[in-house]
Amino acid sequence: MEASPLPLLLKSALIGLSIAAPVGPIGLLCIQRTLDHGARVGLATGLGAAVADALYGAIGAFGVTAVIRLLTEARAPLAVGGALFLLWLAWTAWHGAQAGQAAAAKGGVRGWHAFGGTFLLTLSNPATILSFIAVFSSLAAGLTMASPAWMIAGVFLGSAVWWLVLVGLVSRLRERMQAVHLRWIRRGSAVLLAGFAAWQLASLATP
């Protein structure tokens, strides 16, 4: 009798949750965009990262050696590209005094932009890619052919639940904030995003 996939699904969901939960540039962007643009755009930001996490899981679970080698060799350009993207996001956050109104004018397009930008930003982090692949490669050892699909679904579920909870909490706080609070939070986010970019560039000097 085939074993239940539920334990593997839950274990993978915990991995997705543990990777999504630590505060980093993606979490910061999710908070900032929820405050500036509302829950829909904030959730789209988080789901972009969740889909990228699931993609990492697929690469690790199926053991796509060629892709893993390519990502390893592309560590430096990926880090530089991600850092430049973070600097651009920092600049727009600092100067985005009318971000909320601009987002409302664009309607649904803004959500897709948030999703796509976060998806690419998550993919550009080589440290996350390699650590995620290592975890899933070890977890996938000895499993059946059907198991990787449950692993990928689990990590997406865990990551998505985290972003849903975070956006819900920030949305509640947003209702109590005034414009001056949002402006200072936006500028603080800009400084932190620039700091994450500097850290990512500095990490290239580490062998």
Side-chain angles (χ1 to χ4, degrees):
M1 182 177 180
E2 187 175 352
S4 169
L6 183 60
L8 178 61
L9 180 69
L10 294 177
K11 186 183 294 185
S12 301
L14 286 177
I15 292 174
L17 180 63
S18 66
I19 290 176
V23 177
I26 305 300
L28 187 61
L29 277 175
C30 186
I31 293 171
Q32 180 208 327
R33 287 174 174 172
T34 301
L35 290 174
D36 281 345
H37 312 308
R40 181 180 57 81
V41 174
L43 185 58
T45 299
L47 290 180
V51 172
D53 287 344
L55 180 58
Y56 300 156
I59 295 172
F62 289 105
V64 187
T65 306
V67 177
I68 295 174
R69 185 184 304 114
L70 178 63
L71 292 173
T72 304
E73 294 173 351
R75 176 177 177 270
L78 283 172
V80 171
L84 292 176
F85 191 26
L86 284 173
L87 288 174
W88 178 79
L89 289 171
W91 186 89
T92 57
W94 183 272
H95 295 282
Q98 304 300 325
Q101 291 86 340
K106 291 183 179 180
V109 177
R110 183 67 184 181
W112 283 107
H113 286 173
F115 176 91
T118 311
F119 176 77
L120 293 176
L121 181 60
T122 307
L123 289 181
S124 72
N125 190 334
T128 304
I129 293 171
L130 298 179
S131 62
F132 206 104
I133 289 174
V135 170
F136 264 67
S137 296
S138 61
L139 189 61
L143 298 177
T144 66
M145 290 298 295
S147 298
W150 289 104
M151 294 168 61
I152 297 164
V155 74
F156 175 80
L157 177 63
S159 183
V161 166
W162 166 255
W163 299 120
L164 182 61
V165 170
L166 180 63
V167 168
L169 292 175
V170 175
S171 295
R172 294 290 298 274
L173 292 175
R174 180 176 183 251
E175 297 173 357
R176 306 177 182 179
M177 290 184 177
Q178 299 177 0
V180 63
H181 300 141
L182 296 177
R183 182 171 66 251
W184 281 109
I185 291 174
R186 188 182 302 115
R187 292 188 172 181
S189 298
V191 172
L192 290 175
L193 287 172
F196 281 122
W199 178 83
Q200 189 156 316
L201 291 174
S203 68
L204 293 176
T206 304

